[in-house]
Amino acid sequence: MADVAKTQCPYCGVGCGLEVVLPQADPDIAPAAHSQAPKPAHRDQAGKIIWQARGDRAHPSSLGKICVKGGTVGEGIDRDRLLYPMVRDRLDQDFRRISWDQAYDLIVEKIKGAIASQGPDAICVYGSGQFQTEDYYTAQKLIKGCIGTNNFDANSRLCMSSAVSGYFHSFGSDGPPPCYADLDQTDCAFLIGTNTADCHPIIFNRLTQQLKKNKGTLIVIDPRRTKTAEKATLHLAIKPGSDMMLLHGIGHLLLKWGKLDRSYIEASTEGFAAYVEVLAHYPPRVVAAACGISIQHLAAAARLWAKSQRVLSLWSMGINQSTEGTAKCRAIINLHLMTGNMGRPGTGPFSLTGQPNAMGGREAGGLAHILPGYRQVANPEHRREVERAWQLPEGSISSTPGLAAWEMILALERGEVELFWVAATNPAVSMPDLERTKRALARSPFTICQDAYFPTETTEYAHLVLPAAQWGEKTGVMTNSERVVTLCQGFKQARGEAKADWEIFAAVGRRLGFTQQFEAQATSADVFAEFVILTAGRLCDMTGLDHGRLAAGPIQWPMPAQASLETAADRFDKRLYSNGRFLTPSGKAQFAALHHRGLAEPPDPDYPWVLTTGRLYGHWHTLTRTGRIERLNKMHPGAFLEIHPKDAAALQLVAGDWVEVRSRRGSVQLPLLITRAIAPGTLFVPMHWGFLWADKMEANALTHPEACPISKQPELKACAVAVAKLATQADAQLQEQVQAQTQEPLMVPPGQVAIARR
Ligand SMILES: Nc1nc2c(c(=O)[nH]1)N[C@H]1C(S)=C(S)[C@@H](COP(=O)(O)OP(=O)(O)OC[C@H]3O[C@@H](n4cnc5c(=O)[nH]c(N)nc54)[C@H](O)[C@@H]3O)O[C@H]1N2
Ligand SMILES: Nc1nc2c(c(=O)[nH]1)N[C@H]1C(S)=C(S)[C@@H](COP(=O)(O)OP(=O)(O)OC[C@H]3O[C@@H](n4cnc5c(=O)[nH]c(N)nc54)[C@H](O)[C@@H]3O)O[C@H]1N2
Ligand code: SF4
Ligand SMILES: [Mo]
């Protein structure tokens, strides 16, 4: 007999359920209730299976399915771990081990010093959608409440913030309205700026199987012929940055054809007339030329919108990572509002969340302009409500939104940051304009890096490193893209002296003198119980949830305290706004009347190519986990530059050549992947390889930090570059592997499990 721990996959925002099977016969492997629980002893017999992970059939979001990342999750999590706190005075010195007590004393000294010399805004904390909700919440209380600066931002700024502001401005609140059941019911899926097949594979499989069975249509809008696009009924390989043109072009035709839901527009929306005026400027001829597609293809997309009963849009970074990211999200929402594809089964605008708990971060207030419970820093009533809950005097929370991720880098440059605290993210790889980022990091008087692994690119810029307990080593909650909340149970002891992120934040709070604020936080269950009180009456009401209830299985919000949990329908498959009422002051959804603006850095004679960046199926971000898994490295052995055969020919490049790619900010050196899967004029580099994993292959050496003025999300999806041939040749084996890597199968074969060996 084996004991089973239930959890959620720690990678993408699909949020697949995992079951971890622990041989019960083995007393050393008892599940830990949280990281303060009694710790089982370690054993080190080589090759002995200590636990196995498999898809959880009882999880409503994934029904037992997992992809290759979930299927290999055990293989990298015990390698190269950061085991204890370490410190150094200068970046050119070696680290020396210290105790947690010494580390906490040092942090408290730095916080007090920063406040004394420049005030609380000299402290910046940069967190992550890979936190659990309890980590996020405790950090908000410490930073925004007790320390009194809103300078807490997360890598979600590079990821979801355009969707957050799109929903907020159109609907009056953040919160993706659809649920995964809509994947089963749509007859037309509109996928724009998302490589769902590689990045949200279990969603993609569920969707395409249904569409195939029911003869539904799949529209994919992406400058690359990705694996997602290969399955499309209609793929439009538009020019990077032309999505506003396309979306308005579709709107223009729908209007011309009279394919509107006038009663929905009348009853549930405002601002339609201004939107109609905007659409007048987007006739098919102009749109097709700007997007680099034919008028027929544009019309075909609009016809599919017009004739389908239930249109569901999915999008992610091809839309959000843009200097007009908010406008693009709102332009997608406009199409749903004008055609009444809202609030009904199989319809709606659905932003696919990237990270496993970016959703929980939004709920807990984990960006510089928001507070727990989908509240706004700028709203005095919201601040007061949170101050009261935190037993802090009125005025404790600053009325000024804090610095967004890139603004923290600029503040470091200006010498305005005394303490930079990074946790669960690796900005020395993932930030735009990396050379500038690194120079700013090198100027930081004191940087803390709180991570599970060592070294990472960011620990190279840290003065103090703090070992974090990661997935499997702490119990806490995550919310996936469809608002399903899963309790992720700890089932193994933390490595070395690693601690849960929330424990670290709470300990610092207590040592700063905020004993009352953190005294009740003995376990993560206590933290969650405190957090949900702040969601009462909000859209993301979770007052009906606690760790105990979630231990019986995941539950979707909204879940108010008084709600019934009797039937499956009470727990899952809920969509927002099905009554046509929204959270704006008038109760009506707002059409956006915004024009196309285009790329911040269009190509020119010096930098004639548009470079885009993104992900590969088997790797996760900056490789801290997947880079340590042989099978995944074999699948994707290294970075490369995708280029169309026509463009390669024009540059006199052949397979096997290496090129230098230069932007105004930096350069990289890469082998070529010549492929028809990319639109001519566009190039692609995967984002995964930082300087510890490869020499001069960092995608972000090239990108620029220009951002959407509303969401402050940088345009990581497009910059202008030049390409020149290098003398070096790729070795034949690498070249073969590079060419082969798009052929990998999508799914873990049924029955296969991830095995952790020690
Ligand atoms: N395998 C894997 N899966 C992941 C992750 C991972 O690291 N690895 N990370 C997770 C995270 S945090 C995120 S945010 C998601 C990201 O998920 P996705 O957004 O699906 O992934 P990306 O590869 O960043 O970009 C998606 C697509 O946008 C296209 N694109 C580029 N420019 C444009 C444009 O101007 N218009 C349009 N329409 N499309 C454009 C690119 O060609 C690319 O195919 O994935 C999550 N899942
Ligand atoms: N060019 C380009 N750049 C991009 C993107 C792109 O598409 N193109 N995408 C952007 C997007 S959408 C994202 S989400 C970011 C992702 O970029 P990052 O957030 O920088 O990437 P990760 O590798 O996921 O970093 C997570 C870190 O947290 C650590 N970690 C894991 N679990 C825990 C934990 O429980 N606690 C702590 N303290 N640490 C933990 C890991 O070891 C790792 O070092 O990249 C952004 N940058
Ligand atoms: S799709 Fe794959 S990476 Fe994403 S949650 Fe599921 S198993 Fe994990
Ligand atoms: Mo992301």
Side-chain angles (χ1 to χ4, degrees):
M1 275 295 285
D3 244 344
V4 173
K6 298 258 192 174
T7 182
Q8 179 191 303
C9 172
Y11 292 115
C12 85
V14 179
C16 298
L18 290 179
E19 270 181 340
V20 179
V21 184
L22 313 154
Q24 203 180 42
D26 186 341
D28 288 349
I29 312 165
H34 56 88
S35 59
Q36 289 176 335
K39 289 175 180 163
H42 261 292
R43 293 180 313 145
D44 61 354
Q45 285 126 301
K48 180 166 178 356
I49 295 172
I50 52 159
W51 52 270
Q52 298 182 323
R54 63 181 181 218
D56 177 5
R57 285 171 200 270
H59 198 290
S61 301
S62 53
L63 309 168
K65 303 204 174 57
I66 50 172
C67 78
V68 76
K69 290 181 294 301
T72 50
V73 62
E75 293 172 29
I77 62 170
D78 281 341
R79 298 187 178 160
D80 306 321
R81 293 292 302 273
L82 176 57
L83 297 175
Y84 32 73
M86 298 193 293
V87 74
R88 60 183 172 186
D89 299 323
R90 291 196 322 266
L91 299 186
D92 59 358
Q93 293 173 331
D94 289 335
F95 282 107
R96 59 178 195 280
R97 179 175 178 176
I98 54 171
S99 69
W100 271 109
D101 269 333
Q102 289 169 307
Y104 287 142
D105 286 345
L106 185 58
I107 297 169
V108 166
E109 180 197 314
K110 293 291 173 187
I111 289 173
K112 287 184 173 162
I115 293 172
S117 77
Q118 297 198 49
D121 288 340
I123 298 161
C124 287
V125 182
Y126 184 43
S128 158
Q130 291 163 74
F131 276 160
Q132 293 177 335
T133 301
E134 295 82 352
D135 304 324
Y136 259 120
Y137 173 73
T138 310
Q140 302 320 303
K141 193 174 190 181
L142 173 67
I143 309 304
K144 293 177 181 166
C146 302
I147 294 178
T149 173
N150 292 317
N151 289 344
F152 177 100
D153 213 43
N155 58 3
S156 294
R157 187 66 70 179
L158 313 178
C159 182
M160 299 316 303
S161 58
S162 294
V164 173
S165 53
Y167 286 136
F168 178 76
H169 289 285
S170 291
F171 298 150
S173 172
D174 186 15
C179 57
Y180 295 169
D182 293 319
L183 302 166
D184 305 334
Q185 298 175 58
T186 181
D187 58 354
C188 176
F190 181 72
L191 274 53
I192 180 163
T194 167
N195 181 6
T196 326
D198 281 339
C199 297
H200 296 94
I202 300 308
I203 284 182
F204 190 68
N205 274 45
R206 180 164 171 179
L207 175 68
T208 46
Q209 278 168 14
Q210 184 276 120
L211 291 176
K212 197 171 160 195
K213 200 168 102 202
N214 298 316
K215 303 202 168 34
T217 49
L218 176 66
I219 311 174
V220 174
I221 317 291
D222 194 307
R224 299 162 59 226
R225 189 171 171 79
T226 56
K227 270 191 291 197
T228 312
E230 278 172 20
K231 289 268 167 78
T233 325
L234 177 68
H235 171 214
L236 303 184
I238 62 166
K239 289 186 190 160
S242 62
D243 300 83
M244 281 299 276
M245 297 293 298
L246 181 89
L247 293 162
H248 285 349
I250 293 173
H252 180 101
L253 286 172
L254 292 172
L255 184 67
K256 193 169 141 194
W257 298 336
K259 295 289 181 188
L260 312 175
D261 187 335
R262 292 204 181 271
S263 59
Y264 192 84
I265 295 170
E266 180 62 28
S268 297
T269 75
E270 279 174 350
F272 186 59
Y275 174 52
V276 166
E277 267 171 44
V278 168
L279 292 182
H281 298 270
Y282 298 84
R285 195 175 36 80
V286 174
V287 168
C291 296
I293 58 171
S294 68
I295 291 179
Q296 288 74 14
H297 278 139
L298 169 67
R303 253 194 316 275
L304 288 171
W305 268 87
K307 72 167 209 200
S308 303
Q309 302 304 307
R310 295 178 301 278
V311 184
L312 178 70
S313 296
L314 305 180
W315 79 90
S316 40
M317 293 312 116
I319 289 293
N320 290 348
Q321 288 173 341
S322 160
T323 44
E324 44 184 350
T326 306
K328 287 177 181 170
C329 294
R330 298 196 64 194
I332 296 170
I333 293 170
N334 283 347
L335 294 179
H336 284 273
L337 295 175
M338 86 189 282
T339 56
N341 276 295
M342 275 297 304
R344 290 183 287 119
T347 70
F350 201 171
S351 64
L352 295 179
T353 316
Q355 298 174 91
N357 195 38
M359 287 284 293
R362 287 145 72 169
E363 293 148 16
L367 287 167
H369 64 291
I370 58 175
L371 292 169
Y374 279 176
R375 288 180 176 83
Q376 303 287 315
V377 160
N379 181 324
E381 259 167 62
H382 287 180
R383 290 198 303 276
R384 199 61 210 112
E385 285 159 8
V386 178
E387 284 161 352
R388 241 179 265 131
W390 286 346
Q391 298 170 282
L392 289 167
E394 188 167 343
S396 297
I397 300 175
S398 162
S399 58
T400 324
L403 299 175
W406 181 255
E407 292 169 340
M408 291 182 179
I409 299 296
L410 298 182
L412 279 167
E413 266 180 3
R414 292 192 302 266
E416 291 169 8
V417 181
E418 304 257 323
L419 170 59
F420 188 47
W421 188 346
V422 181
T425 178
N426 196 359
V429 184
S430 52
M431 280 279 188
D433 196 352
L434 215 45
E435 291 313 315
R436 188 169 174 187
T437 295
K438 290 177 195 167
R439 281 196 302 275
L441 291 174
R443 283 202 57 175
S444 170
F446 194 77
T447 295
I448 305 171
C449 183
Q450 181 169 312
D451 204 286
Y453 294 88
F454 184 84
T456 70
E457 288 79 357
T458 304
T459 63
E460 302 283 291
Y461 291 91
H463 301 89
L464 175 65
V465 291
L466 300 176
Q470 65 164 335
W471 179 86
E473 299 165 351
K474 55 180 180 182
T475 291
V477 156
M478 295 212 183
T479 307
N480 72 8
S481 284
E482 65 158 345
R483 296 173 273 105
V484 163
V485 182
T486 300
L487 182 69
C488 305
Q489 294 176 325
F491 57 88
K492 63 198 282 288
Q493 83 174 95
R495 302 287 289 179
E497 296 178 1
K499 288 182 193 288
D501 295 286
W502 69 266
E503 286 182 271
I504 301 170
F505 294 127
V508 170
R510 280 190 285 269
R511 281 169 194 245
L512 278 170
F514 294 96
T515 31
Q516 193 189 0
Q517 279 70 28
F518 295 99
E519 70 184 346
Q521 306 204 344
T523 68
S524 61
D526 302 333
V527 179
F528 189 72
E530 186 187 304
F531 159 63
V532 297
I533 294 170
L534 271 168
T535 66
R538 308 291 303 164
L539 182 66
C540 58
D541 195 327
M542 286 181 248
T543 44
L545 302 183
D546 59 35
H547 277 206
R549 236 165 271 170
L550 289 167
I555 302 172
Q556 190 177 41
W557 65 253
M559 183 46 69
Q562 63 281 11
S564 149
L565 275 173
E566 308 264 292
T567 68
D570 297 331
R571 294 169 162 260
F572 318 117
D573 301 348
K574 292 177 273 190
R575 50 190 70 78
L576 307 177
Y577 311 125
S578 42
N579 60 359
R581 302 292 299 163
F582 294 86
L583 291 163
T584 52
S586 64
K588 294 188 172 190
Q590 303 294 306
F591 275 101
L594 299 164
H595 278 285
H596 163 85
R597 293 211 322 268
L599 297 178
E601 190 182 67
D604 62 15
D606 292 336
Y607 297 94
W609 310 92
V610 179
L611 177 91
T612 190
T613 65
R615 295 161 168 77
L616 302 176
Y617 170 54
H619 273 314
W620 180 257
H621 295 162
T622 72
L623 302 179
T624 55
R625 284 187 187 131
T626 55
R628 296 182 160 86
I629 299 174
E630 288 78 14
R631 204 168 125 197
L632 302 179
N633 282 328
K634 239 174 108 191
M635 189 183 264
H636 308 294
F640 51 83
L641 181 76
E642 268 186 21
I643 187 169
H644 191 274
K646 259 203 250 166
D647 294 340
L651 290 165
Q652 298 184 314
L653 297 168
V654 295
D657 281 345
W658 279 64
V659 288
E660 181 174 74
V661 186
R662 261 183 316 110
S663 76
R664 288 181 176 81
R665 296 154 294 277
S667 68
V668 297
Q669 301 186 347
L670 296 163
L672 283 186
L673 174 57
I674 300 176
T675 170
R676 290 184 188 283
I678 190 155
T682 306
L683 308 171
F684 170 82
V685 180
M687 64 165 289
H688 304 292
W689 281 269
F691 64 82
L692 292 180
W693 296 88
D695 234 8
K696 280 190 83 68
M697 291 189 170
E698 300 153 295
N700 283 322
L702 304 168
T703 55
H704 66 71
E706 293 304 312
C708 169
I710 305 164
S711 70
K712 301 189 178 176
Q713 178 159 358
E715 190 156 85
L716 290 161
K717 280 289 176 274
C719 65
V721 297
V723 178
K725 185 172 167 168
L726 284 174
T728 339
Q729 293 278 305
D731 71 72
Q733 199 192 345
L734 177 63
Q735 189 61 32
E736 213 171 277
Q737 284 174 327
V738 163
Q739 295 289 356
Q741 63 188 340
T742 43
Q743 316 302 324
E744 279 298 325
L746 262 188
M747 302 285 298
V748 176
Q752 186 166 335
V753 293
I755 296 175
R757 293 176 194 279
R758 212 189 266 143

